[in-house]
């Protein structure tokens, strides 16, 4: 298919040697199409974060290839990496550890403006951009400026991460369990905002979660991961309504509400 | 930043250490302003003058005296020359000279002296008496001369023409000189050392030089350790392997042995204080490098570093902005430890005679070395070495105390 933006072939990551050897990702193959929301579902420790870091170019694969927009990905120099990172960005699982606690919040947003190539904009224009990004995630720039990350709640931190993505407007966003470390009330908001990003900016989203109900709610395509291997994949309906692999069935049975009714309206936020 | 400082200064241990350290520092800085003497000037003709106030005798004779009639003046004067021990010794001599015991009353000064005068014979050979004891009795006899005299001392000058002595003045026993009117009074709170130098002035200077050596050595060691640790930890791979190879090489060779070898090969006349400090710095960075590397390894996989990379920052920027601030508290603690161990290393080297050359400045180690060579500890001249030891102990103690305080403040934060 022509609109494949990201493709992995036999992707493998092995940590350590000898007795300590862990195969975190084991010969994984996938294809992600432009504009879709693709979920990677698996229990904790199944290698989802490791896979995400390889896709982001933060970890080198032990084996296998990654194709970006049909071509073999080349991030051998810092310049090529920067170019790649204009196209692919991430939101991490734990907002508390994703911030440099010594920097003010403004630094984070100004970095994005610099990365867009808007470093030379006048100060007022930059503030305008930052305010726009903040209001996209229902935050008030005036209240945040000159604050440090630890003065924010987990939910606010994660929303600010989305504001960062809004500023950068990458082609692909990898969201690694973005709702698992924050309070329940903020989760729905975060999900709403991610969907808004997809709809308004036309982003391709790779959504990583341990919650298959959530994956069903948000995604077009689902990959099920078990101990480093992808055991089942396909469209969300196909995988969740007619699961073949026992691991998928077990994941589904762990989310009781899905069995009761396959109506989207009841699934909404139930697993949150 | 301010918040952290406030937290640090709330730690009792840190504050105690800090106050001691700053006091020492202030003394080192202010004392030379008050006593601007050359710390290595030899002022005493002789070794190890005891601590005290030195009043110029010539000047005190020449100031106009005040007469004070103090009741116990005579008693004190006699007691100074003729204490209980001397009286006992005199009794022993008299017994040996054949005086019956009941005739000797050591409490009655006049009678005792009278008896002594009649019976003492410097040439008398008493069985079993050593030569030293004989000399002692001769000295005792000399010091007793004129002890009960009540008239004053006559000061005389030779006449310029005839050469005859002429009386200038009489110093009465009740004459007193006001010390404020004596032009030359020197306080030597810690006496003089083996060369006749003022120990306190020398000690303050030595403490200053040793602190400088510690700072230079500590800064060099911390800087090298920090840079190598950051590079090895963050870059990993080949860079890490090479740096770790050299680090492990230096760990196998104890740094003090290396220090001794290098100091020895530099040679006595090329060893200035700063040279020694540099050598100490270049041989003691190993543990800092390893510790920093370990810290960086645990930091470099954190998400804030990943996010910084995703924001397109260069490696140098990430090391300086996303790694360094997180380990800064740790680096400060390492620096403090390196400074205090630098001071100890200099002392160790100097005691072995491998310290800085001895002609320019004193250091705490050199002072220990001199005191040892001249056997101050054997002779009981405590003021030549004890204050030096106390100073070394105070410096290292205060720095370690600050370190413990910092550790308590920062470690919960590091563990999170
Ligand atoms: N840097 C690393 N070094 C060694 N092992 C790692 C490292 N990162 C992850 N692992 C291991 O890889 C496996 C997958 O981890 P991870 O990708 O974080 O799983 P998930 O995100 O699905 O919870 C785990 O067993 C984990 O212990
Ligand atoms: Mg994970």
């Amino acid at each position: 298919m022509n609109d494949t933006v990201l493709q992995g072939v036999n992707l493998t990551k092995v940590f350590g040697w000898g007795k300590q050897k862990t195969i975190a990702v084991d010969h994984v193959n996938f294809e992600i199409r432009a504009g879709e929301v693709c979920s990677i579902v698996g229990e904790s420790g199944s290698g989802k974060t490791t896979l995400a870091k390889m896709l982001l170019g933060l970890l080198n694969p032990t084996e296998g290839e990654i194709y970006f927009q049909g071509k073999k990905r080349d991030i051998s120099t810092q310049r090529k990496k920067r170019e790649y990172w204009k196209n692919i960005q991430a939101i991490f699982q734990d907002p508390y550890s994703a911030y440099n606690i010594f920097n003010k919040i403004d630094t984070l947003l100004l970095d994005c403006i610099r990365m867009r190539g808007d470093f030379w904009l006048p100060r007022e224009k930059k503030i305008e951009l930052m305010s726009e990004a903040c209001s996209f995630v229902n935050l008030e720039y005036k209240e945040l400026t000159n604050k440090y990350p630890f003065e924010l709640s987990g939910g606010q931190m994660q929303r600010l991460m989305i504001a960062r993505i809004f500023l950068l407007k990458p082609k692909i966003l990898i969201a690694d369990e973005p709702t698992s470390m924050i309070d329940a009330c903020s989760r729905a908001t975060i999900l709403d905002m991610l969907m808004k990003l997809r709809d308004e900016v036309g982003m391709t989203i790779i959504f990583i979660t341990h919650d298959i109900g959530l994956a069903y709610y948000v995604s077009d395509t689902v990959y099920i991961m078990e101990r480093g291997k992808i055991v089942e994949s396909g469209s969300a309906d196909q995988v969740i309504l007619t699961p073949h692999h026992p691991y998928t069935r077990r994941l589904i049975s762990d989310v009781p509400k899905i069995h009761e009714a396959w109506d989207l309206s009841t699934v909404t936020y139930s697993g949150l | 930043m301010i918040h952290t400082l406030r937290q640090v200064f709330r730690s009792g241990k840190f504050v105690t250490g800090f106050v001691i350290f700053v006091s020492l520092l202030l003394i080192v800085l202010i004392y030379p302003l008050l006593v601007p003497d050359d710390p290595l000037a030899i002022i005493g003709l002789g070794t190890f003058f005891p601590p005290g106030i030195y009043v110029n005798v010539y000047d005190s004779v020449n100031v106009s005296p005040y007469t004070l009639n103090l009741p116990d003046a005579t008693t004190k004067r006699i007691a100074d020359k003729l204490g209980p021990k001397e009286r006992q010794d005199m009794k022993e001599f008299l017994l040996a000279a054949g005086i019956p015991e009941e005739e000797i009353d050591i409490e009655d000064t006049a009678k005792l002296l009278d008896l002594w005068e009649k019976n003492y014979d410097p040439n008398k050979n008493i069985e079993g008496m050593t030569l030293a004891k004989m000399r002692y009795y001769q000295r005792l006899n000399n010091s007793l001369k004129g002890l009960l005299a009540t008239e004053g001392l006559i000061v005389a000058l030779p006449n310029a023409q005839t050469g005859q002595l002429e009386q200038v003045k009489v110093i009465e026993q009740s004459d007193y000189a006001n010390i404020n009117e004596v032009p030359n009074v020197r306080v030597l709170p810690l006496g003089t050392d083996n060369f006749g130098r003022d120990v306190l002035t020398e000690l303050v200077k030595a403490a200053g030089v040793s602190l400088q050596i510690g700072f230079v050595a500590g800064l060099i060691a911390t800087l090298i350790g920090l840079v190598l640790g950051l590079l090895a930890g963050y870059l990993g791979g080949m860079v890490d392997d090479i740096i770790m190879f050299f680090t492990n090489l230096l760990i196998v060779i104890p740094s003090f042995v290396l220090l001794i070898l290098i100091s020895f090969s530099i040679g006595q006349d090329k060893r200035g204080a700063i040279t020694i400090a540099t050598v100490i710095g270049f041989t003691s960075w190993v543990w800092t490098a390893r510790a920093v590397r370990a810290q960086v390894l645990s930091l470099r996989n954190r998400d804030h570093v990943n996010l910084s990379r995703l924001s397109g920052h260069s490696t140098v920027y990430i090391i300086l902005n996303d790694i360094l601030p997180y380990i800064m508290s740790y680096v400060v603690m390492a620096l403090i430890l390196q400074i205090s161990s630098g001071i100890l290393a200099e002392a160790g080297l100097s005691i072995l005679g491998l310290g800085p050359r001895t002609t320019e400045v004193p250091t705490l180690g050199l002072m220990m070395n001199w005191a040892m060579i001249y056997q101050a500890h054997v002779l009981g001249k405590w003021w030549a070495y004890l204050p030096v030891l106390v100073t070394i102990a105070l410096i290292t103690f205060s720095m370690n105390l600050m370190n413990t305080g910092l550790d308590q403040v920062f470690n919960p934060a590091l563990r999170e």
Side-chain angles (χ1 to χ4, degrees), chain A residues 11-254:
Chain A
L11 262 188
T12 304
K13 182 71 191 180
V14 182
F15 288 113
W17 293 272
K19 263 190 187 163
Q20 306 219 351
K21 185 165 146 177
T22 320
I23 306 179
V25 177
D26 192 358
H27 295 88
V28 158
N29 293 289
F30 56 87
E31 263 179 47
I32 292 159
R33 282 183 296 279
E36 74 172 346
V37 175
C38 163
S39 284
I40 298 173
V41 188
E43 286 174 327
S44 167
S46 55
K48 308 179 298 288
T49 301
T50 308
L51 177 59
K53 284 189 176 157
M54 284 195 289
L55 293 179
L56 284 165
L58 295 173
L59 270 182
N60 292 324
T62 312
E63 200 191 316
E65 304 292 348
I66 293 169
Y67 292 87
F68 174 64
Q69 294 182 323
K71 286 192 283 283
K72 205 161 156 183
R73 182 181 77 171
D74 178 11
I75 49 167
S76 49
T77 66
Q78 182 69 16
R79 177 190 287 268
K80 284 173 182 165
K81 271 186 188 147
R82 257 184 220 146
E83 211 43 54
Y84 182 63
W85 285 330
K86 279 186 185 164
N87 291 306
I88 185 163
Q89 279 292 335
I91 295 173
F92 294 112
Q93 181 170 9
D94 179 7
Y96 295 94
S97 72
Y99 284 85
N100 182 332
I101 55 169
F102 296 95
N103 287 349
K104 286 179 183 160
I105 284 156
D106 306 58
T107 314
L108 182 89
L109 297 176
L110 285 171
D111 271 350
C112 302
I113 294 177
R114 177 189 50 79
M115 213 182 161
R116 285 160 50 129
D118 290 338
F119 180 74
W120 303 108
L121 284 181
R123 171 105 194 124
E124 306 84 65
K125 193 81 183 89
K126 283 182 186 167
I127 289 177
E128 200 178 297
L129 280 172
M130 290 191 280
S131 309
E132 188 196 354
C134 285
S135 60
F136 180 82
V137 292
N138 288 334
L139 289 173
E140 196 62 58
Y141 172 72
K142 278 195 218 83
E143 286 167 19
L144 294 178
T145 181
N146 278 324
K147 276 200 175 151
Y148 285 94
F150 49 80
E151 297 175 76
L152 269 59
S153 73
Q156 283 176 316
M157 284 181 174
Q158 208 62 314
R159 267 144 73 191
L160 203 67
M161 281 295 162
I162 296 176
R164 180 177 171 274
I165 301 302
F166 177 82
L167 273 174
L168 289 171
K169 297 197 173 57
K171 292 199 174 70
I172 306 169
L173 169 65
I174 300 184
D176 186 0
E177 308 201 38
T179 59
S180 67
M181 302 281 276
I182 55 179
D183 56 292
C185 323
S186 304
R187 290 181 187 174
T189 338
I190 299 286
L191 275 187
D192 269 348
M193 285 163 184
L194 284 178
M195 292 307 112
K196 214 163 97 187
L197 268 183
R198 201 260 306 251
D199 297 338
E200 289 182 17
V201 186
M203 237 170 251
T204 308
I205 294 178
I206 300 175
F207 189 81
I208 295 175
T209 179
H210 58 264
D211 183 338
I212 201 163
L214 196 54
Y216 182 59
Y217 170 62
V218 298
S219 47
D220 305 311
T221 321
V222 173
Y223 289 87
I224 308 289
M225 229 176 144
E226 185 194 15
R227 272 186 268 132
K229 289 196 172 77
I230 286 182
V231 292
E232 191 160 359
S233 65
S235 75
D237 286 335
Q238 191 187 327
V239 171
I240 289 159
L241 299 182
T242 56
H244 292 296
H245 198 276
Y247 181 70
T248 317
R249 292 205 191 105
R250 211 188 80 216
L251 284 178
I252 292 171
S253 68
D254 286 347

Side-chain angles (χ1 to χ4, degrees), chain A residues 53 56-58 78 82 85 89-90 92 97-102 108 111 114-115 161 164, chain B residues 301-315 317 321-323 325-326 416:
Chain A
K53 284 189 176 157
L56 284 165
L58 295 173
Q78 182 69 16
R82 257 184 220 146
W85 285 330
Q89 279 292 335
F92 294 112
S97 72
Y99 284 85
N100 182 332
I101 55 169
F102 296 95
L108 182 89
D111 271 350
R114 177 189 50 79
M115 213 182 161
M161 281 295 162
R164 180 177 171 274
Chain B
N301 287 325
R302 281 182 55 135
D303 279 344
H304 80 269
V305 175
N306 284 328
L307 198 79
S308 194
R309 291 176 67 191
L310 287 179
S311 297
H313 288 305
S314 67
T315 305
Y317 180 95
N321 284 279
D322 299 310
I323 304 275
Y326 282 80
E416 70 165 352

